[in-house]
Amino acid sequence: MLKEDSIPKTEQDYIALLQVASANLQECQKQYGMNSCFECPKLLDCAVRTSYVKAVYDSMNLGKITDFDF
């Protein structure tokens, strides 16, 4: 599996990074007994969630800098 700190080069790399970030997020939620990050007091200051959001964004634009609006 692709390491999270690897530099992605292909669409598959971005998907792999997203899968790692998603698994990390789900594990964190499970560890703290939460179904959502919105229940967590660390919501806006969480490295796990920030990594996940970045992985989602990067997988949507394949790492290119764009004016992407959610």
Side-chain angles (χ1 to χ4, degrees):
M1 177 162 282
L2 187 67
K3 291 184 178 183
E4 195 168 355
D5 61 350
S6 298
I7 298 172
K9 298 198 177 7
T10 67
E11 183 175 356
Q12 289 77 25
D13 292 341
Y14 285 102
I15 291 169
L17 285 175
L18 178 58
Q19 290 171 338
V20 168
S22 179
N24 290 342
L25 184 75
Q26 290 172 3
E27 181 60 33
C28 182
Q29 289 173 343
K30 182 179 175 182
Q31 178 182 353
Y32 290 100
M34 297 180 187
N35 294 320
S36 169
C37 291
F38 293 113
E39 300 172 16
C40 184
K42 299 178 187 178
L43 174 68
L44 299 177
D45 190 35
C46 176
V48 175
R49 184 173 184 277
T50 299
S51 176
Y52 172 74
V53 170
K54 182 180 180 336
V56 169
Y57 179 81
D58 287 346
S59 71
M60 294 173 78
N61 65 18
L62 302 178
K64 297 176 186 165
I65 297 173
T66 62
D67 290 332
F68 183 83
D69 292 325
F70 286 94

